[in-house]
Amino acid sequence: MSEFNNNPASGAGDETESTRKFDEGLIAASQDSLSEDEQAAVDALPLGNALLIVRRGPNKGARFLLDADLVTIGRHPNADIFLDDVTVSRRHAEISRTAGEFTVRDLASLNGTYLESARVEAAVLSNGSELQVGKYHFTFYASKKNS
């Protein structure tokens, strides 16, 4: 058995690599798909509103309605979206809505705010965008009634 593991010609490394890629594909596919309840919630969004769904991290599956012109995100109990985790700053980020467009803005948080895995100071959210605040990974869904 040690010969199989130590022999580079055995192809063991190739199998491991291909399995890793396969698993990453499955994970990505499962995160992108919505349950029937989630799809119904997205379809029912009123004009000009949006929804954040926690895809990974604490509170996986939680949904947050973005129905105000300014929504605060943070570890402070008065935040509109309260995220109780030390990886989240008390005043971490905010999402503003202007003319049906949603923009996330980092509020000088310690761990940063990420959109599509890139750290951002401010960025426009688009349908299906992945937003990360601390350990929380959200997917953003805008009302389909906007389009």
Side-chain angles (χ1 to χ4, degrees):
M1 183 135 126
S2 63
E3 181 182 329
F4 178 76
N5 291 335
N6 293 330
N7 184 353
S10 71
D14 294 337
E15 290 176 24
T16 303
E17 183 64 28
S18 66
T19 303
R20 187 176 308 125
K21 288 179 184 175
F22 178 73
D23 287 343
E24 289 170 359
L26 281 177
I27 291 168
S30 69
Q31 290 170 350
D32 292 340
S33 62
L34 293 172
S35 70
E36 287 183 30
D37 286 346
E38 290 170 337
Q39 187 61 57
V42 170
D43 292 341
L45 282 170
L47 178 66
N49 292 339
L51 191 65
L52 284 178
I53 301 176
V54 180
R55 303 316 253 161
R56 284 187 285 158
N59 300 335
K60 181 179 175 183
R63 299 179 220 165
F64 298 96
L65 180 63
L66 304 176
D67 62 349
D69 290 335
L70 185 66
V71 175
T72 58
I73 302 171
R75 194 168 33 94
H76 192 282
N78 292 338
D80 297 316
I81 298 177
F82 172 63
L83 303 176
D84 191 16
D85 190 271
V86 296
T87 61
V88 178
S89 296
R90 289 182 183 277
R91 290 184 27 95
H92 197 103
E94 63 185 19
I95 297 176
S96 60
R97 175 180 63 184
T98 307
E101 183 175 82
F102 291 84
T103 303
V104 63
R105 185 169 63 94
D106 186 76
L107 300 175
S109 65
L110 181 63
N111 291 321
T113 301
Y114 294 81
L115 184 62
E116 304 299 342
S117 301
R119 190 168 183 159
V120 295
E121 295 300 318
V124 175
L125 297 169
S126 58
N127 206 28
S129 294
E130 182 183 293
L131 176 66
Q132 181 182 346
V133 174
K135 292 181 182 177
Y136 296 82
H137 293 253
F138 301 92
T139 303
F140 173 83
Y141 297 98
S143 169
K144 293 182 179 180
K145 297 173 184 169
N146 283 347
S147 43

